[in-house]
Amino acid sequence: MKKVLLLGGNYFQQTATMAAKNLGYYVISVDYLPDNPAHRYADEYHNISTIDKEAVLALAQEEHIDGIVSYASDVAAPTAAYVAEKMGLPTNPYESVMTLTHKDRFRSFMRENGFRMPKGDSFTDESQALAFFHSLEKPVMVKPVDSSGSKGVTKIFEEEEFHDAYEEALSYSIIKQVIVEEFIPKKGYQIDGDGFIVDGKIAFFGVMDQHHDIECSLYTPVGLSCPSKQRQQYQDEAKEQIQKIFDLLHMKMGAFNFEYVIGEDGHVYILEIGPRSGGNLIPDTIKKARDIDLASYVIKSAVGEDCSELSEKPVHSCTSSYIVHSTKDGIFKKIEIDETLEKQVTRQEIFVKPGDPVKKYKNAGYGIGAMIITFRNVEEMCERIDHMNDYIKVIVE
């Protein structure tokens, strides 16, 4: 029986744990939160931080693992690549993974290789960052270089907003470094999605539209819908750019999450590429909409199994993920779902119980539940996800 070590055990990472078990592998689950739900499905759990490379390596060597996966986690992806390289297991290059998971390195790489990137720079000194802020066209985005889930991301216009935005970004950065860059005005939805590389080539490219709750945050998705409304020519251009990036970085295998926008100038701007599956039930939504089990391919790829049969499949079901959330701080009481929507919810999990404190949804860490919802058509899907507070009400006191 092959052994696979999975970094992280939250609800969204549980998908990988179940996939590994369904494939018949021995699963070792690792993170510093023993109550995370995925651990109960694993064969073993070890309380080790997923960013502690040497401790994870020591465990992996002791257990003689056959593969290691960072599923839906940017911060743990370098650990997975580091351990795999040290042990001679299937992986993408560690340095390439570091480039993709650190915004400062990724943006430098993009500029050096002629890809479009907003004007920006990274800083460890606030006074230097403020001086640079004054040189940029407004508005400006301030964000940590090494976080995900829209944590610590703020859009600002004036100097008076800068200190709080910088401190917020700094609080979410592991290496205490902040990016300051110009905002890119976009046309249409921001795009999110998951893809998969087989033998260095993109074998699957799953484009999805991002939806936001404007009462809470313009930058933290509440839903990812499939199929996308975006024109195919833009999807093809984005895929071509990302393939060029992978060629330069010698990326050979596995899942990746991507985000891009179409600027008002009509050009594609690649914002992020994570060398791991997406969170927020993105792979689960793709499985429901297109019958492609990306989580199983992630596990098989990590242990060196053949993934050459993976290919594109058409969307047969208009499907979206949805992150249940509160629009204000308070004490959770209950959730009310409109009866016209309730029968369309195919999967639902609520992470809180009555009496628990909840926070206004400002980043992915404040979600209180998750759903997968199917719709009759794309128009209904986008209208409802964009106005979901009319259909799903989180009651807080």
Side-chain angles (χ1 to χ4, degrees), residues 279-291:
N280 289 355
L281 295 180
I282 289 176
D284 308 75
T285 304
I286 289 172
K287 184 177 181 180
K288 179 70 176 177
R290 303 179 71 165
D291 290 331

Side-chain angles (χ1 to χ4, degrees), residues 322 338-342 344 375-376 379-391:
Y322 181 70
D338 187 276
E339 62 180 12
T340 64
L341 180 74
E342 194 166 16
Q344 296 173 281
F375 300 89
R376 291 172 294 182
E379 288 70 27
E380 179 192 64
M381 178 168 64
C382 291
E383 190 281 330
R384 290 208 169 193
I385 296 294
D386 286 337
H387 303 91
M388 196 57 90
N389 291 335
D390 295 335
Y391 302 96

Side-chain angles (χ1 to χ4, degrees), residues 67-78:
I68 181 169
V69 171
S70 172
Y71 189 86
S73 173
D74 268 338
V75 296

